[in-house]
Amino acid sequence: MKCIWCKQSLTKNLTFMEILNPFFVQEHRLCAKCQQKFEPLIGGCQLCGKPTVQPICSDCQYWQRKYPTYAFKHTALYHYNEGFHEWMEQYKYLGDYQLRYTFSYELKRYFKDKKDCWIVPIPLSKEKREKRGFNQVEGFLEAIGIKYQPILSKKNDTLPQAKKGRYERLKMKQPFSLNIDGGLIANQDIILVDDVYTTGRTLFYAAECLLPYHPKKIMTFSLAR
């Protein structure tokens, strides 16, 4: 068995359960060195997890003013640190598609009690998808067998968020549109899923497409914040 990221050989002492049933053996794993590159997101802002001394960070205070009737709540697994940035480069931009399995255990744990929710990945433009060959969010959802609803479309190609400054991110134009009858999402619990939450602009624009049709609840999730 090899580390899914650095490809170094792994040694692992099997648990009693894994010996009795190989189904429980994690096929795609990180070595200890690679695992240490990720910093779990613990505490922080009550609404998005961003490290802050205030109960609610300045970003979320901004969104509360802009969307006063939207009771948003975001969940992320890790800080967007240097290690996560390296992982994103290899998965998203260099196309190491095996890395979609990296956080399978954590994702299964998050989604296990959300089977009645509509899981909605943030879409790519047609041009970006053709160039990259895959949608990185759909990739890690498919890795754990999550059924998702591709109900959003991206209108056109835009500069990657990582290449924009904070002001540019907040001022970008609405890039998404709803591609189904809006009445179908009324009273549904919906989870919008992205890879990284930076300012929140992308996820709030996605939510903006859904809010007029009165879903029961909109939650948001990302791998990193």
Side-chain angles (χ1 to χ4, degrees):
M1 183 181 296
K2 293 184 178 182
C3 172
I4 192 173
W5 188 359
C6 71
K7 317 304 181 188
Q8 295 297 312
S9 295
L10 290 172
T11 57
K12 181 181 188 299
N13 295 323
L14 296 179
T15 65
F16 181 69
M17 181 64 73
E18 290 171 333
I19 293 172
L20 290 179
N21 190 341
F23 174 79
F24 288 97
V25 178
Q26 285 184 258
E27 181 180 356
H28 306 283
R29 298 176 59 246
L30 293 171
C31 67
K33 184 178 180 180
C34 288
Q35 184 66 60
Q36 289 174 359
K37 293 183 178 182
F38 301 111
E39 183 183 356
L41 193 65
I42 300 173
C45 174
Q46 296 174 0
L47 297 181
C48 74
K50 180 180 180 179
T52 178
V53 296
Q54 301 173 304
I56 299 177
C57 71
S58 57
D59 287 348
C60 288
Q61 291 178 39
Y62 171 83
W63 296 123
Q64 284 181 323
R65 293 191 296 270
K66 190 169 183 64
Y67 298 96
T69 62
Y70 172 23
F72 61 91
K73 179 70 173 72
H74 184 75
T75 299
L77 299 177
Y78 295 100
H79 286 285
Y80 189 81
N81 59 9
E82 183 178 348
F84 197 92
H85 174 75
E86 291 175 7
W87 179 86
M88 283 290 292
E89 285 286 319
Q90 190 165 336
Y91 173 49
K92 186 174 178 178
Y93 300 112
L94 298 181
D96 188 349
Y97 198 50
Q98 275 290 101
L99 288 179
R100 71 191 186 279
Y101 291 104
T102 303
F103 306 108
S104 291
Y105 175 78
E106 294 87 344
L107 290 167
K108 286 178 181 178
R109 185 169 56 183
Y110 174 78
F111 285 108
K112 70 177 182 179
D113 60 349
K114 299 174 176 61
K115 294 181 173 59
D116 294 330
C117 297
W118 279 29
I119 311 301
V120 179
I122 294 299
L124 297 179
S125 66
K126 181 180 178 181
E127 295 83 359
K128 183 66 67 61
R129 188 179 188 112
E130 289 177 351
K131 181 178 180 180
R132 187 174 299 162
F134 65 97
N135 178 317
Q136 70 278 4
V137 178
E138 293 176 2
F140 63 70
L141 291 175
E142 290 170 1
I144 60 169
I146 287 288
K147 181 180 179 181
Y148 56 83
Q149 308 288 340
I151 64 174
L152 293 174
S153 298
K154 191 167 185 181
K155 299 174 184 178
N156 45 48
D157 201 8
T158 57
L159 190 68
Q161 290 287 80
K163 296 184 182 296
K164 296 177 182 176
R166 177 180 174 80
Y167 180 81
E168 291 177 298
R169 290 169 180 157
L170 291 174
K171 296 301 180 182
M172 75 176 190
K173 296 180 180 179
Q174 169 63 274
F176 305 120
S177 61
L178 190 64
N179 58 34
I180 63 168
D181 178 0
L184 296 174
I185 65 176
N187 297 315
Q188 298 288 348
D189 287 329
I190 296 174
I191 305 176
L192 294 168
V193 183
D194 204 357
D195 49 7
V196 176
Y197 181 116
T198 306
T199 63
R201 178 70 278 182
T202 297
L203 286 165
F204 276 93
Y205 265 153
E208 194 175 280
C209 294
L210 310 178
L211 288 169
Y213 302 101
H214 308 293
K216 184 177 180 182
K217 182 190 296 184
I218 299 176
M219 296 168 280
T220 59
F221 174 86
S222 65
L223 295 178
R225 168 68 170 101

